[in-house]
Amino acid sequence: MWNRDGGRRKQWKIAVLPGDGIGPEVMAVTLRALRALAEQGGPSMELAEFPWPSHQWHREHGRTMPEDWKATLGQYDAILLGALGDPGPTSDPDRYLLPDAVSLGPLLDIRKGFDQWACERPAMLLEGAPQYLADDRARDLDMMVIRENSEGEYVGQGGRLAPGTPREVATQMEVFTRAGAERIFRHAFERAVARAAEREAGARRNRQFPLPGGGIARAQVCLITKRNALRYWGEMYTEVFEQVAAEYPAIATHHELVDAACMKFVMSPWNFDVVVASNLQGDILTDLAAVLSGGMGVAPSCNLNPADRRQPPMFEPTHGSAPDIAGRNLAGPQAMLLTAAMMLAWMGEEDSRAARAAKRLREAVEADLRVHGTIQRETTAIGDAVLAALS
Ligand code: IPM
Ligand code: MN
């Protein structure tokens, strides 16, 4: 089959992992939206649902995912994940509950397994979303935190010597490579260039940042480290960042120590554009960035391998399984819907139908938020409203 753009219409294979807690609830709404988009001239998608990773699967099989999970998921173009963690409800003290490291393990296994080395978390304050900062300039927030997703503090090397004894020693290794730094920084600069082009095409308000030699840049990349205390990787990051930055003289740059960055995210988040950080520091900063943009309920996220599109990326909201409200039709599905829009935008780099669907889905979520704001509504009611906005 040929599409309007003269290319062969791709049938996208999406592995859908609803997960635990509110995951299945927000995923159900999202699948309805994706199916509606496909029917309305969107991309062709096979949406294959998997019962793992989940507590239920573990209860039945003694593990959170089948042994051949990688071969199975590797056959898909992309992975859409709801949430992992405590399945809830927290009111049930006897629920089948795994330690966090077990239930959340698949998240890290999938990121590592497909070398999804870039985690992208955009932050914008959509109209109608909760505004936690009193300063109205916070409305102009338009940033993207890019988190190094393959190494750093998350390599999982180390161990416990003499566990439980008074002489116990715990070690937790951090590993930073020049190659890993170079690829994430280059990706951050490429994203900064692309975001400036989107803004100039009218997608969002233009930005201006001062260049050191005078003049104005349309985009900026901020490097985060803790080089005053963690000097070895901090100094290597700084050197590699400066080398890559020299290839992009039209992009403004600056550096912030992670603690100062936390302060400035709150005091003046409108001064940031693209922010690039290590795995753990990026993890912490993106919870903060999510709150600046209305909270976990509206914060999308993705994990991808920008160098190799054959490695399936994983699209998952920043939020967790929210066990306190699980199973009660109370979860806001907006983060999951905006995450699905990020997936469509990624597909849209090859398939113009998907690019259009991404824009339509984002606009439908935005339109619903603008009208209903933060009033408490049922998950399915928000789904109905977003579907109505689509048609
Ligand atoms: C996230 C989460 C995970 C992370 C946890 C659950 C392992 O906090 O996606 O931000 O730290 O990466
Ligand atoms: Mn996190």
Side-chain angles (χ1 to χ4, degrees), residues 107 111 121 147 154 279-280 282-287 296 318-319:
L107 214 53
R111 290 176 189 168
R121 296 184 164 171
R147 166 180 178 193
Y154 275 53
N279 214 331
L280 177 63
D283 175 48
I284 296 166
L285 285 172
T286 49
D287 267 32
M296 284 297 181
T318 306
H319 66 61

Side-chain angles (χ1 to χ4, degrees), residues 239-323:
E239 269 171 49
V240 177
F241 184 80
E242 281 166 6
Q243 280 164 16
V244 176
E247 297 169 26
Y248 298 86
I251 308 284
T253 58
H254 68 134
H255 168 266
E256 296 292 350
L257 296 167
V258 65
D259 46 352
C262 289
M263 177 182 74
K264 291 179 185 178
F265 269 30
V266 172
M267 284 175 62
S268 49
W270 50 86
N271 283 336
F272 291 89
D273 185 13
V274 171
V275 176
V276 62
S278 74
N279 214 331
L280 177 63
Q281 296 185 359
D283 175 48
I284 296 166
L285 285 172
T286 49
D287 267 32
L288 180 50
V291 166
L292 301 178
S293 61
M296 284 297 181
V298 291
S301 167
C302 71
N303 308 279
L304 62 160
N305 183 326
D308 183 1
R309 287 181 65 90
R310 287 163 311 177
Q311 300 270 18
M314 175 161 63
F315 296 84
E316 44 148 351
T318 306
H319 66 61
S321 62

